[in-house]
Amino acid sequence: MIENPSPGRRRFLKLAGGFTAVVALSATFLSRAVAALPHLSASTNPTAKALHYTDDASEAVVHHPPMQHCMMCQHYKGHMGETWGPCEIFPGYDVNAKGWCSAYKARESMMHMMHMKP
Ligand code: SF4
């Protein structure tokens, strides 16, 4: 049988619960901050320049279909709703979800949904 905790013990349990929540939230924010990578730039990265990378697909110097941007690319590993995310072609950097480069490859699932060819 469980005894009713004393007021002092109840207060301690509340404080311990609050402390645990604060530690869990801090760990979440810290892991996201650590996971963020430097943003890719064609002005400083020779590979990005060679592949005509741009943060804004609508400003790409190479003509491409309008629906092509990093978020729709098979190489993009960012999460839905985030502005920047990692790309397999540019390890160590985040690319813009609305960006584009000439290594673009349509996601299989997108091609299936849109009845497009790669
Ligand atoms: S390979 Fe795909 S995700 Fe990576 S920069 Fe080029 S278009 Fe964006």
Side-chain angles (χ1 to χ4, degrees):
M1 185 162 142
I2 300 173
E3 293 179 30
N4 221 0
S6 68
R9 184 178 163 100
R10 257 185 266 145
R11 186 161 182 258
F12 170 77
L13 290 173
K14 276 186 186 175
L15 285 173
F19 178 73
T20 303
V22 167
V23 168
L25 279 173
S26 298
T28 300
F29 286 120
L30 278 175
S31 68
R32 291 186 67 81
V34 168
L37 297 169
H39 294 173
L40 183 69
S41 169
S43 61
T44 56
N45 184 300
T47 307
K49 184 176 182 179
L51 294 177
H52 307 289
Y53 171 78
T54 175
D55 289 347
D56 182 349
S58 69
E59 295 178 359
V61 293
V62 177
H63 180 73
H64 61 87
M67 290 296 290
Q68 289 186 359
H69 49 81
C70 294
M71 182 61 86
M72 307 283 271
C73 177
Q74 188 167 324
H75 300 298
Y76 186 72
K77 300 301 172 199
H79 297 287
M80 192 67 89
E82 292 185 353
T83 308
W84 296 84
C87 164
E88 294 173 332
I89 303 299
F90 300 103
Y93 293 94
D94 275 348
V95 298
N96 194 299
K98 293 180 180 174
W100 182 87
C101 84
S102 56
Y104 176 87
K105 184 176 181 188
R107 290 178 191 261
E108 292 291 327
S109 58
M110 293 294 177
M111 287 189 300
H112 208 59
M113 277 171 39
M114 302 172 83
H115 308 286
M116 294 172 73
K117 293 181 178 174

